[in-house]
Every structure is written in C-alpha cells, then in structure tokens.
Amino acid sequence: MPEEVADRLMAMQQGLDGARWVPFDNFHLTLAFIGDVDPPDLRDINEALSTIDQQPFDLELNGVGHFGDRKPHCVWAGLRDTPDLTILQSSIVTALGRFGIALDRRKFKPHVTLGYLKGLSQEEVEQWRIAHALASERPFPVTEFHLYRSHMGRAGSVYEILETYPLSFSR
C-alpha cells in the first residue's frame, strides 16, 4: 500500500478494545493464497507469475467490514473491485493453475486486513463498522504485485517479499 493509504488505514485502527491490529508494514491485498510450498515449487510459481502481462491501474478504498457473522474474527478495509483488479487476480489464478499450483478456493473479496478480533460482540464490531463506513481515499496506482512468504512470529505474521512483478504498458 502506498504510504498515504497505509496512514489512512492506520487511522481506522482504533475503537475495538482487545483487537490485535495489523502493523503498517503488513498491509497488503491477497490476490491468491498459495499456502505451504516446497522450494522446487517456488520456481514454478515464479515462472507462472512472470507470465502475467497487464497494464498498471488505479485502486481505491471502498468501505469497511468484518469476517465472522456470529463471532467476528477480523476487520478489514475494502478495495473497489474494478475490472482491472478482477483481470489481474484471475490471471494469477489461471497462470498458477497451468503449473498445477493448488490455491485456496475462497471467493475473491478485495480487502486489506486491519485487525484480528477475539471475544468482541457483533454489536461492538457493527459500531466500529458504522464509524468507518465511508472510508475512502483518492485512487492510488498499482504498478506491480509481489510474491510474499509469511513467517509466523510471536506478534503474528511477518511478510517477506520474494519476487516483484511489474505491470507494464506493453499491451
């Protein structure tokens, strides 16, 4: 996330006592979740992702929400699902599928996780959601995507960029 967008996301990280807020450096949009892989598979993943050919585009924040109907477990900031974002996400899934890489099959819901919840009621989370419902930001450019490795630590996940894939104007 660009710094000004990450700053806006940080400003939303309040009002839910006991939430475990995601650090500034961990804000990201998951386009495809690959899971645990063996080192030889990383070569195939890199080769597959290197085939993505798409022009840069703009994204913008689009409201907030939570996962977990009866027991909310996560709050997030939404991203407007534009045709360009849909094309990028489906191109990644298709490219990885051609290399036999199995993916998590949940429906794509563009969002940036803001915090993890434990023991908060639906009412508390709904009040937070209403307070931040109009969350928006000027569109920001998307000029690349990354392949991340996550490492579990005491304070949660730490993300390491393994590869960067620039979007190009070649089309």
Side-chain angles (χ1 to χ4, degrees):
M1 294 291 128
E3 189 171 335
E4 61 275 5
V5 176
D7 286 341
R8 174 70 177 108
L9 296 172
M10 292 282 294
M12 289 187 257
Q13 293 182 311
Q14 57 183 326
L16 289 171
D17 291 338
R20 186 170 48 91
W21 298 112
V22 172
F24 182 93
D25 292 340
N26 282 0
F27 290 140
H28 67 278
L29 165 64
T30 300
L31 296 166
F33 182 77
I34 300 170
D36 292 332
V37 296
D38 294 323
D41 292 334
L42 279 176
R43 285 189 298 276
D44 289 344
I45 291 166
N46 183 48
E47 188 174 338
L49 295 177
S50 295
T51 67
I52 305 297
D53 182 25
Q54 183 169 338
Q55 293 181 329
F57 59 93
D58 288 341
L59 270 183
E60 63 185 290
L61 293 178
N62 185 33
V64 295
H66 69 278
F67 292 128
D69 291 333
R70 281 183 242 150
K71 289 182 135 191
H73 58 82
C74 168
V75 290
W76 47 261
L79 294 162
R80 191 169 309 284
D81 194 1
T82 65
D84 288 321
L85 178 58
T86 300
I87 290 167
L88 177 60
Q89 193 272 337
S90 64
S91 296
I92 289 169
V93 169
T94 300
L96 291 169
R98 280 197 300 264
F99 279 82
I101 307 298
L103 300 174
D104 183 351
R105 287 298 190 190
R106 285 181 247 182
K107 184 178 184 319
F108 180 58
K109 172 80 173 160
H111 69 280
V112 177
T113 300
L114 297 177
Y116 297 97
L117 312 174
K118 191 171 186 175
L120 291 169
S121 69
Q122 281 183 287
E123 293 77 23
E124 291 170 297
V125 175
E126 186 62 18
Q127 287 175 357
W128 176 89
R129 194 191 64 74
I130 289 168
H132 298 286
L134 300 178
S136 65
E137 191 71 32
R138 288 190 312 266
F140 58 91
V142 176
T143 59
E144 61 193 15
F145 66 97
H146 307 283
L147 174 61
Y148 285 94
R149 173 184 289 153
S150 65
H151 305 276
M152 286 305 294
R154 283 184 163 175
S157 295
V158 175
Y159 296 97
E160 170 192 6
I161 295 175
L162 297 179
E163 293 290 338
T164 297
Y165 306 93
L167 301 180
S168 69
F169 291 99
S170 65
R171 279 178 144 184

